[in-house]
Amino acid sequence: MKDKHWSATKERGSTFGIQLLVWLYRIFGQWLLRIVLIPVIAYFTLTGNKARQASYAYLTRVNAVTGNSTKVRWYHVYKHFYQFGTSAVDKIRAWLNDVTMQDVTFHNPEIFEQLRQDTPSKGAIFIGSHLGNLELCRAIGEHDSSIKINALVFTKHALKFQAALEKFNPDAQLNLIQVDSLGAETAIELKEKVDKGEIVIIVGDRTSVTQYGRVNYADFLGEPAPFSQGPFILANVLDCPTYLLFCLKQSGRYHIYLEHFANSLKLARTERAQQLQSIIERYAGRLEHYCLKAPYQWFNFYNFWQKDDKQHISRTATNKNEKNSSDDS
C-alpha cells in the first residue's frame, strides 16, 4: 500500500480553533493554556493513527543513532505531540509581542551583526526546517526594521494561522508567499526581493507538493531520506549568501542558531548533480545535528523516509477517516 505524501494529509483544526487558542491565551495566559492542551493533545494522539506511527518510528531512529536502548512508549509519542501543541503557544506569544529579546539567546551573534550590515545592499536566503519554531524566528525578525522577511509556504494552513493572528494584532504581518511549486515566475519575484536587500525563508525538509522525484537522497538518522532539490536550486538562482536557521526551546529559553552555509550556491554546469548532492547532504547533516539537540521538537508527522516516486507515495488528498496532524507550513 502506498504512503500518503505529506501534502495529501488534510489539516486537523480550523481558523476558529486558532482564534480560540489566541483568545484563551489573551484571557488566561500561557500556563493555563498549556494545561488545557493536555486533554486536547491526548485526543489528537489517540485519534491520529498515521501521525502516531510516524512519531514512534522517528523517535525509535533517534534512540538508535544516540545509542539509547530505551524502548519508545506511548508517553514518548504523547510528549512529542505535546511539544507540537506548545510550539503553537510560543508562535502566538511571539506574534503578540510577548516574547522579548531577553527571552532569546542568539548563537553566533557576529553572523547576525554581519547580516544586518549586508542586507541594505544584498539580501540572503535562509533555509529552515520543521524543527523547533521557525515562526518565532520570523516574528523576531519583524521587530528589526532593518530586515524585511519573505517566507515561502506550500500550504494554505500557514496563511490561516497568519489571518487568525492579525485579528488580534494587526501589526503581526509578514510577507507570506503561498506557492504550489517553485517556478520561473516565483524565482524572478524572489530575485527582485533579494536584490533589494530582503530575506527569503524556505524550509528544506519537505518534498515537492506537485512533482515526483525532484529529490536527492541523503543519510538522515541512519537511513537515506528524500530531500527536495527546490530550496537549493532556488538558492542557486538567487545567487546570494545562504544561511541555515534553527530555533529551539531549551531550558525555557528560545535559542536561535543562524549558520553561514555558503556565500553562493551557484552550481557549475559540468558538476551540477554532484554539487547538489553534496549540498543536500550537508543540509541533512546539520538538520540531524539539531534534531538530536531537541528530538521532540521535530514536527514532521508522516513517514519522512518514504520514497518520492509514484510507486511508493500518493499525492491524492486523504479522506476524513485518514486525517492526521501535521504542521504543513
Side-chain angles (χ1 to χ4, degrees):
M1 185 176 175
K2 290 183 180 181
D3 278 327
K4 291 291 182 184
H5 188 257
W6 67 266
S7 62
T9 300
K10 296 196 178 202
E11 293 293 340
R12 302 181 79 181
S14 62
T15 302
F16 172 76
I18 297 167
Q19 290 174 350
L20 180 61
L21 278 179
V22 178
W23 181 82
L24 288 170
Y25 169 76
R26 294 191 72 183
I27 299 298
F28 300 108
Q30 65 167 314
W31 298 113
L32 183 60
L33 183 53
R34 291 176 193 275
I35 293 171
V36 169
L37 279 175
I38 293 173
V40 173
I41 297 301
Y43 168 77
F44 281 114
T45 306
L46 289 170
T47 59
N49 239 10
K50 295 283 188 183
R52 191 173 63 247
Q53 291 167 13
S55 172
Y56 179 89
Y58 159 71
L59 293 173
T60 300
R61 290 177 189 276
V62 169
N63 283 354
V65 169
T66 58
N68 184 348
S69 60
T70 304
K71 184 174 174 59
V72 177
R73 304 290 185 184
W74 66 268
Y75 47 85
H76 297 115
V77 173
Y78 175 83
K79 180 180 178 180
H80 192 190
F81 274 61
Y82 187 76
Q83 290 270 341
F84 176 62
T86 57
S87 74
V89 179
D90 291 330
K91 290 176 186 180
I92 291 167
R93 293 189 65 226
W95 283 117
L96 296 183
N97 300 321
D98 289 344
V99 174
T100 67
M101 292 303 168
Q102 284 67 46
D103 300 316
V104 179
T105 297
F106 288 92
H107 295 261
N108 304 318
E110 69 281 0
I111 296 179
F112 286 91
E113 186 53 42
Q114 186 63 50
L115 185 69
R116 286 192 186 95
Q117 293 176 21
D118 292 345
T119 46
S121 59
K122 183 68 172 177
I125 182 168
F126 289 179
I127 301 179
S129 67
H130 289 81
L131 173 68
N133 205 329
L134 198 60
E135 286 279 355
L136 189 129
C137 295
R138 300 193 304 221
I140 290 171
E142 285 294 283
H143 296 166
D144 189 335
S145 59
S146 67
I147 299 175
K148 185 168 181 183
I149 297 176
N150 306 275
L152 267 68
V153 296
F154 292 91
T155 70
K156 295 181 175 63
H157 176 66
L159 301 180
K160 282 192 218 171
F161 189 87
Q162 183 73 10
L165 287 177
E166 286 178 6
K167 287 183 180 295
F168 294 89
N169 179 9
D171 295 328
Q173 294 184 5
L174 172 74
N175 188 16
L176 293 182
I177 303 172
Q178 202 270 324
V179 294
D180 292 323
S181 61
L182 292 173
E185 189 176 329
T186 303
I188 292 169
E189 178 186 355
L190 296 177
K191 178 67 173 168
E192 289 173 352
K193 292 180 180 298
V194 165
D195 288 344
K196 289 191 294 186
E198 299 179 14
I199 303 295
V200 171
I201 297 182
I202 187 170
V203 295
D205 62 343
R206 288 280 170 91
T207 53
S208 170
V209 173
T210 57
Q211 296 175 311
Y212 290 96
R214 296 293 180 89
V215 300
N216 281 45
Y217 290 84
D219 187 76
F220 180 67
L221 296 175
E223 188 176 331
F227 288 87
S228 176
Q229 297 171 350
F232 307 97
I233 291 175
L234 177 63
N236 162 66
V237 172
L238 298 183
D239 190 20
C240 64
T242 302
Y243 297 82
L244 302 186
L245 179 65
F246 302 94
C247 178
L248 307 179
K249 193 168 186 183
Q250 298 167 294
S251 303
R253 291 181 59 79
Y254 306 102
H255 290 255
I256 296 182
Y257 300 86
L258 184 66
E259 292 189 0
H260 180 262
F261 194 64
N263 287 328
S264 172
L265 287 183
K266 201 71 179 170
L267 301 171
R269 288 185 181 180
T270 55
E271 300 177 344
R272 182 184 177 93
Q274 299 95 313
Q275 288 180 345
L276 188 58
Q277 178 66 31
S278 175
I279 288 166
I280 289 176
E281 286 176 355
R282 282 177 56 206
Y283 170 78
R286 297 314 292 160
L287 178 61
E288 178 176 301
H289 170 80
Y290 286 105
C291 272
L292 295 179
K293 274 183 175 287
Y296 289 98
Q297 294 180 42
W298 195 56
F299 305 130
N300 277 319
F301 293 103
Y302 66 95
N303 178 11
F304 188 78
W305 289 262
Q306 62 192 9
K307 291 188 177 178
D308 193 70
D309 57 48
K310 291 182 180 179
Q311 269 188 305
H312 294 91
I313 60 170
S314 169
R315 280 173 164 77
T316 305
T318 57
N319 61 41
K320 290 182 180 178
N321 293 328
E322 294 173 321
K323 286 182 181 179
N324 171 2
S325 67
S326 68
D327 178 12
D328 290 341
S329 62

Coordinates of all heavy atoms in Angstrom, one line a residue, residues 146-214:
S146 N 15.3 46.9 10.2 CA 16.4 46.9 9.2 C 16.3 45.7 8.3 O 17.0 45.6 7.2 CB 17.8 47.0 9.8 OG 18.1 45.8 10.5
I147 N 15.5 44.6 8.7 CA 15.5 43.4 7.9 C 14.0 43.1 7.5 O 13.1 43.1 8.3 CB 16.0 42.2 8.7 CG1 17.4 42.4 9.1 CG2 15.8 40.9 8.0 CD1 18.0 41.4 10.1
K148 N 13.8 43.0 6.2 CA 12.5 42.6 5.7 C 12.5 41.1 5.3 O 13.4 40.7 4.6 CB 12.1 43.4 4.4 CG 10.7 43.2 4.0 CD 10.2 44.2 3.0 CE 8.7 43.8 2.6 NZ 8.2 44.8 1.6
I149 N 11.5 40.4 5.8 CA 11.5 38.9 5.6 C 10.3 38.5 4.7 O 9.2 38.9 4.9 CB 11.4 38.3 7.0 CG1 12.6 38.6 7.8 CG2 11.2 36.7 6.9 CD1 12.6 38.1 9.2
N150 N 10.6 37.6 3.8 CA 9.6 37.0 3.0 C 9.7 35.5 3.2 O 10.8 34.9 3.1 CB 9.9 37.2 1.5 CG 10.0 38.7 1.2 OD1 9.0 39.4 1.0 ND2 11.2 39.2 1.2
A151 N 8.6 34.8 3.5 CA 8.6 33.4 3.8 C 7.7 32.7 2.8 O 6.6 33.0 2.5 CB 8.0 33.1 5.2
L152 N 8.3 31.6 2.2 CA 7.6 30.8 1.3 C 6.9 29.7 2.0 O 7.5 29.0 2.9 CB 8.6 30.1 0.3 CG 8.8 30.9 -1.1 CD1 9.5 32.2 -0.8 CD2 9.6 30.1 -2.0
V153 N 5.6 29.5 1.7 CA 4.8 28.4 2.4 C 4.2 27.6 1.3 O 3.8 28.1 0.2 CB 3.8 29.0 3.4 CG1 4.5 29.6 4.5 CG2 2.8 29.9 2.7
F154 N 4.0 26.3 1.5 CA 3.5 25.4 0.5 C 2.1 24.9 0.7 O 1.5 24.1 0.0 CB 4.4 24.2 0.3 CG 5.8 24.7 -0.3 CD1 6.8 25.0 0.6 CD2 5.9 24.7 -1.6 CE1 8.0 25.4 0.0 CE2 7.1 25.2 -2.2 CZ 8.2 25.5 -1.4
T155 N 1.4 25.4 1.8 CA 0.0 25.1 2.0 C -0.7 26.3 2.5 O -0.1 27.3 3.0 CB -0.2 24.0 3.1 OG1 0.2 24.5 4.4 CG2 0.6 22.8 2.8
K156 N -2.0 26.3 2.5 CA -2.8 27.4 2.9 C -2.9 27.5 4.5 O -3.4 28.5 5.0 CB -4.2 27.4 2.3 CG -4.1 27.6 0.8 CD -5.5 27.5 0.2 CE -5.5 27.8 -1.3 NZ -4.7 26.8 -2.1
H157 N -2.4 26.5 5.2 CA -2.5 26.4 6.6 C -1.8 27.6 7.3 O -2.3 28.2 8.2 CB -2.0 25.1 7.1 CG -2.0 25.0 8.6 ND1 -3.1 24.9 9.4 CD2 -0.9 24.9 9.5 CE1 -2.8 24.8 10.7 NE2 -1.5 24.8 10.8
A158 N -0.6 27.9 6.8 CA 0.2 29.0 7.3 C -0.6 30.3 7.1 O -0.5 31.2 8.0 CB 1.5 29.0 6.7
L159 N -1.2 30.5 6.0 CA -2.0 31.7 5.7 C -3.2 31.8 6.7 O -3.5 32.9 7.2 CB -2.5 31.7 4.3 CG -1.4 31.6 3.2 CD1 -2.1 31.6 1.8 CD2 -0.4 32.7 3.3
K160 N -3.8 30.7 7.0 CA -4.9 30.7 8.0 C -4.4 31.2 9.4 O -5.0 32.0 10.1 CB -5.5 29.3 8.2 CG -6.4 28.9 7.1 CD -7.1 27.6 7.5 CE -7.3 26.6 6.4 NZ -7.7 25.3 6.9
F161 N -3.2 30.6 9.8 CA -2.7 31.0 11.1 C -2.4 32.5 11.1 O -2.7 33.1 12.1 CB -1.4 30.1 11.3 CG -0.8 30.2 12.7 CD1 -1.3 29.4 13.7 CD2 0.2 31.2 12.9 CE1 -0.7 29.5 15.0 CE2 0.7 31.3 14.2 CZ 0.2 30.5 15.2
Q162 N -1.8 33.0 10.0 CA -1.5 34.4 10.0 C -2.7 35.3 10.1 O -2.8 36.2 10.8 CB -0.7 34.7 8.7 CG -0.2 36.1 8.5 CD 0.9 36.4 9.4 OE1 1.5 35.5 10.0 NE2 1.2 37.7 9.5
A163 N -3.8 34.9 9.3 CA -5.0 35.6 9.3 C -5.6 35.7 10.7 O -6.2 36.7 11.1 CB -6.0 35.0 8.3
A164 N -5.6 34.5 11.4 CA -6.1 34.5 12.7 C -5.4 35.4 13.7 O -6.0 36.1 14.5 CB -6.1 33.0 13.3
L165 N -4.1 35.5 13.6 CA -3.3 36.3 14.5 C -3.6 37.8 14.2 O -3.6 38.6 15.1 CB -1.8 36.0 14.3 CG -1.4 34.7 14.9 CD1 0.1 34.5 14.7 CD2 -1.6 34.7 16.4
E166 N -3.7 38.1 12.9 CA -3.9 39.5 12.5 C -5.2 40.1 13.1 O -5.4 41.3 13.2 CB -3.8 39.7 11.0 CG -2.4 39.6 10.5 CD -2.3 39.7 9.0 OE1 -3.3 39.9 8.3 OE2 -1.2 39.4 8.5
K167 N -6.2 39.2 13.4 CA -7.4 39.7 14.0 C -7.2 40.3 15.4 O -7.9 41.1 15.9 CB -8.5 38.6 14.1 CG -9.1 38.2 12.7 CD -10.1 37.1 12.9 CE -10.7 36.7 11.6 NZ -11.5 37.8 11.0
F168 N -6.1 39.7 16.1 CA -5.8 40.2 17.4 C -4.7 41.2 17.4 O -4.6 42.0 18.3 CB -5.4 39.0 18.3 CG -6.5 38.0 18.5 CD1 -6.8 37.0 17.6 CD2 -7.4 38.1 19.6 CE1 -7.8 36.1 17.8 CE2 -8.5 37.3 19.8 CZ -8.7 36.2 18.9
N169 N -3.8 41.1 16.4 CA -2.7 42.1 16.4 C -2.5 42.4 14.9 O -1.7 41.7 14.2 CB -1.4 41.4 17.0 CG -0.2 42.4 16.9 OD1 -0.4 43.6 16.5 ND2 1.0 41.9 17.2
P170 N -3.1 43.5 14.4 CA -3.0 43.9 13.0 C -1.5 44.2 12.6 O -1.2 44.1 11.4 CB -3.8 45.2 12.9 CG -4.7 45.1 14.1 CD -4.0 44.4 15.2
D171 N -0.6 44.4 13.6 CA 0.8 44.7 13.2 C 1.6 43.4 13.0 O 2.7 43.5 12.6 CB 1.4 45.5 14.3 CG 0.8 46.9 14.5 OD1 0.4 47.4 13.4 OD2 0.7 47.4 15.6
A172 N 1.0 42.3 13.3 CA 1.7 41.0 13.2 C 1.7 40.5 11.8 O 1.0 39.6 11.4 CB 1.1 39.9 14.1
Q173 N 2.4 41.3 10.9 CA 2.3 41.0 9.5 C 3.7 40.5 9.0 O 4.7 40.9 9.5 CB 1.9 42.2 8.7 CG 0.5 42.7 9.0 CD 0.1 43.8 8.2 OE1 0.8 44.3 7.3 NE2 -1.1 44.3 8.4
L174 N 3.6 39.6 8.1 CA 4.8 39.0 7.4 C 4.4 38.8 6.0 O 3.3 38.4 5.7 CB 5.2 37.7 8.1 CG 6.3 36.9 7.5 CD1 7.6 37.6 7.7 CD2 6.3 35.5 8.1
N175 N 5.4 39.0 5.1 CA 5.1 38.7 3.7 C 5.2 37.2 3.4 O 6.3 36.7 3.2 CB 6.1 39.5 2.8 CG 5.7 39.4 1.4 OD1 4.6 39.0 1.0 ND2 6.7 39.7 0.5
L176 N 4.0 36.5 3.5 CA 4.0 35.1 3.2 C 3.6 34.9 1.8 O 2.7 35.5 1.3 CB 2.9 34.4 4.1 CG 3.1 34.4 5.6 CD1 1.9 33.6 6.3 CD2 4.4 33.7 5.9
I177 N 4.4 34.1 1.1 CA 4.2 33.8 -0.3 C 3.8 32.4 -0.5 O 4.6 31.5 -0.2 CB 5.5 34.1 -1.1 CG1 5.9 35.6 -0.9 CG2 5.3 33.8 -2.6 CD1 7.3 35.9 -1.5
Q178 N 2.5 32.2 -0.8 CA 2.0 30.8 -0.9 C 2.2 30.3 -2.3 O 1.8 30.9 -3.3 CB 0.5 30.8 -0.6 CG 0.0 29.4 -0.1 CD -0.5 28.6 -1.3 OE1 -1.1 29.1 -2.2 NE2 -0.3 27.2 -1.2
V179 N 2.9 29.2 -2.4 CA 3.3 28.6 -3.8 C 3.0 27.1 -3.8 O 3.0 26.5 -2.8 CB 4.7 28.9 -4.1 CG1 5.0 30.3 -4.3 CG2 5.7 28.2 -3.1
D180 N 2.6 26.6 -5.0 CA 2.5 25.2 -5.1 C 3.8 24.6 -5.6 O 4.1 23.4 -5.4 CB 1.4 24.9 -6.1 CG 0.0 25.3 -5.6 OD1 -0.2 25.1 -4.4 OD2 -0.8 25.8 -6.3
S181 N 4.5 25.3 -6.4 CA 5.8 24.9 -6.9 C 6.7 26.1 -7.1 O 6.3 27.2 -7.3 CB 5.7 24.0 -8.2 OG 5.1 24.8 -9.2
L182 N 8.0 25.8 -7.2 CA 9.0 26.9 -7.4 C 9.2 27.1 -8.9 O 10.2 26.5 -9.5 CB 10.3 26.6 -6.7 CG 10.2 26.6 -5.1 CD1 11.5 26.1 -4.5 CD2 9.9 28.0 -4.7
G183 N 8.4 27.8 -9.6 CA 8.5 28.1 -11.0 C 9.3 29.3 -11.3 O 9.8 30.0 -10.4
A184 N 9.5 29.6 -12.6 CA 10.3 30.7 -13.0 C 9.7 32.0 -12.5 O 10.5 32.9 -12.1 CB 10.4 30.7 -14.5
E185 N 8.4 32.2 -12.5 CA 7.8 33.4 -12.0 C 8.1 33.7 -10.6 O 8.4 34.8 -10.2 CB 6.2 33.3 -12.2 CG 5.5 34.6 -12.0 CD 4.0 34.5 -12.3 OE1 3.7 33.7 -13.2 OE2 3.3 35.2 -11.7
T186 N 8.0 32.7 -9.7 CA 8.3 32.8 -8.3 C 9.8 33.2 -8.1 O 10.1 34.1 -7.3 CB 8.0 31.5 -7.5 OG1 6.6 31.2 -7.7 CG2 8.3 31.7 -6.1
A187 N 10.7 32.5 -8.9 CA 12.1 32.8 -8.8 C 12.4 34.2 -9.2 O 13.3 34.9 -8.5 CB 12.9 31.8 -9.7
I188 N 11.8 34.7 -10.2 CA 12.0 36.1 -10.6 C 11.6 37.1 -9.5 O 12.3 38.1 -9.2 CB 11.3 36.4 -11.9 CG1 12.0 35.6 -13.1 CG2 11.3 37.9 -12.2 CD1 11.2 35.6 -14.4
E189 N 10.4 36.8 -8.9 CA 9.9 37.7 -7.9 C 10.9 37.7 -6.7 O 11.2 38.8 -6.1 CB 8.5 37.2 -7.4 CG 7.9 38.0 -6.3 CD 6.6 37.4 -5.7 OE1 6.2 36.4 -6.3 OE2 6.1 37.9 -4.7
L190 N 11.4 36.5 -6.3 CA 12.3 36.4 -5.2 C 13.6 37.0 -5.4 O 14.3 37.6 -4.6 CB 12.4 35.0 -4.7 CG 11.1 34.3 -4.2 CD1 11.3 32.8 -3.9 CD2 10.5 35.0 -3.0
K191 N 14.1 36.9 -6.7 CA 15.4 37.5 -7.1 C 15.3 39.0 -6.9 O 16.2 39.7 -6.4 CB 15.7 37.1 -8.5 CG 17.0 37.7 -9.1 CD 18.2 37.2 -8.4 CE 19.4 37.7 -9.1 NZ 20.7 37.4 -8.3
E192 N 14.2 39.6 -7.3 CA 14.0 41.1 -7.1 C 14.0 41.4 -5.7 O 14.6 42.5 -5.3 CB 12.7 41.5 -7.7 CG 12.6 41.4 -9.3 CD 11.2 41.7 -9.8 OE1 10.3 41.8 -9.1 OE2 11.1 41.8 -11.1
K193 N 13.4 40.6 -4.8 CA 13.4 40.9 -3.4 C 14.8 40.8 -2.8 O 15.3 41.7 -2.0 CB 12.5 40.0 -2.6 CG 11.0 40.2 -3.0 CD 10.1 39.3 -2.3 CE 8.6 39.6 -2.6 NZ 8.2 40.9 -2.3
V194 N 15.6 39.8 -3.1 CA 16.9 39.6 -2.6 C 17.8 40.8 -3.1 O 18.6 41.3 -2.3 CB 17.5 38.2 -3.1 CG1 19.0 38.2 -2.9 CG2 16.8 37.1 -2.3
D195 N 17.7 41.2 -4.4 CA 18.5 42.3 -4.9 C 18.2 43.6 -4.2 O 19.0 44.5 -4.2 CB 18.2 42.4 -6.4 CG 18.9 41.3 -7.2 OD1 19.7 40.5 -6.6 OD2 18.5 41.1 -8.4
K196 N 17.0 43.7 -3.5 CA 16.7 44.9 -2.8 C 17.1 44.8 -1.3 O 16.8 45.6 -0.5 CB 15.2 45.1 -2.8 CG 14.7 45.6 -4.2 CD 13.2 46.1 -4.1 CE 12.3 44.9 -3.8 NZ 10.8 45.4 -3.9
G197 N 17.8 43.7 -1.0 CA 18.3 43.5 0.4 C 17.4 42.8 1.3 O 17.6 42.9 2.5
E198 N 16.4 42.1 0.8 CA 15.4 41.4 1.6 C 15.8 39.9 1.9 O 16.7 39.4 1.2 CB 14.0 41.4 1.0 CG 13.5 42.9 0.8 CD 12.1 42.9 0.2 OE1 11.5 41.9 0.1 OE2 11.8 44.0 -0.2
I199 N 15.2 39.3 2.9 CA 15.5 37.9 3.2 C 14.4 37.0 2.7 O 13.2 37.4 2.8 CB 15.6 37.8 4.8 CG1 16.7 38.7 5.4 CG2 15.9 36.3 5.2 CD1 18.1 38.4 4.9
V200 N 14.7 35.9 2.2 CA 13.8 34.9 1.8 C 14.0 33.6 2.7 O 15.1 33.1 2.8 CB 13.9 34.5 0.3 CG1 13.1 33.3 0.0 CG2 13.6 35.7 -0.6
I201 N 12.9 33.2 3.3 CA 13.0 31.9 4.1 C 12.2 30.8 3.4 O 11.1 31.0 3.0 CB 12.4 32.2 5.5 CG1 13.2 33.2 6.3 CG2 12.4 30.9 6.3 CD1 12.6 33.5 7.7
I202 N 12.8 29.6 3.4 CA 12.2 28.5 2.9 C 12.6 27.3 3.7 O 13.7 27.2 4.2 CB 12.5 28.3 1.4 CG1 11.7 27.1 0.7 CG2 14.0 28.1 1.2 CD1 11.8 27.0 -0.8
V203 N 11.7 26.3 3.8 CA 12.1 25.1 4.6 C 12.7 24.1 3.6 O 12.4 24.0 2.5 CB 10.9 24.5 5.3 CG1 10.4 25.4 6.4 CG2 9.8 24.1 4.4
G204 N 13.7 23.3 4.1 CA 14.4 22.3 3.3 C 14.0 20.9 3.6 O 14.6 19.9 3.0
D205 N 13.0 20.6 4.5 CA 12.7 19.3 4.9 C 11.3 18.8 4.5 O 10.6 18.0 5.1 CB 12.9 19.1 6.4 CG 11.9 20.0 7.2 OD1 11.4 21.0 6.7 OD2 11.8 19.7 8.4
R206 N 10.8 19.4 3.3 CA 9.5 18.9 2.8 C 9.7 18.7 1.3 O 10.3 19.6 0.6 CB 8.4 19.9 3.0 CG 7.9 20.0 4.5 CD 7.0 18.8 4.8 NE 6.7 18.7 6.2 CZ 5.6 19.3 6.8 NH1 4.8 20.0 6.1 NH2 5.4 19.1 8.1
T207 N 9.3 17.6 0.7 CA 9.4 17.4 -0.7 C 8.3 18.1 -1.5 O 7.3 18.6 -0.9 CB 9.3 15.9 -1.0 OG1 8.1 15.3 -0.4 CG2 10.5 15.2 -0.4
S208 N 8.4 18.2 -2.8 CA 7.6 19.0 -3.6 C 6.1 18.6 -3.5 O 5.8 17.4 -3.4 CB 8.0 18.8 -5.1 OG 7.0 19.4 -6.0
V209 N 5.2 19.6 -3.5 CA 3.8 19.3 -3.4 C 3.2 18.7 -4.7 O 2.3 17.9 -4.6 CB 3.0 20.7 -3.1 CG1 1.5 20.5 -3.1 CG2 3.5 21.2 -1.7
T210 N 3.8 19.1 -5.8 CA 3.2 18.7 -7.1 C 4.0 17.7 -7.9 O 3.5 17.1 -8.8 CB 3.0 20.0 -7.9 OG1 4.3 20.6 -8.1 CG2 2.1 20.9 -7.3
Q211 N 5.3 17.6 -7.7 CA 6.2 16.8 -8.6 C 6.9 15.6 -7.9 O 7.4 15.8 -6.8 CB 7.2 17.7 -9.2 CG 6.6 18.8 -10.1 CD 7.6 19.8 -10.6 OE1 8.5 20.3 -9.9 NE2 7.6 20.0 -11.9
Y212 N 6.9 14.5 -8.6 CA 7.6 13.4 -8.1 C 9.1 13.4 -8.5 O 9.5 14.0 -9.5 CB 7.1 12.1 -8.7 CG 5.7 11.7 -8.2 CD1 4.6 12.0 -8.9 CD2 5.5 11.0 -7.0 CE1 3.3 11.7 -8.5 CE2 4.3 10.6 -6.6 CZ 3.1 11.0 -7.3 OH 1.9 10.6 -6.9
G213 N 10.0 12.9 -7.6 CA 11.3 12.7 -8.0 C 12.3 13.9 -8.0 O 13.4 13.7 -8.3
R214 N 11.8 15.1 -7.6 CA 12.7 16.2 -7.6 C 13.4 16.3 -6.2 O 13.2 17.2 -5.5 CB 11.8 17.5 -7.8 CG 11.2 17.6 -9.2 CD 12.2 17.7 -10.3 NE 11.6 17.8 -11.6 CZ 11.3 18.9 -12.2 NH1 11.4 20.1 -11.6 NH2 10.8 18.9 -13.4

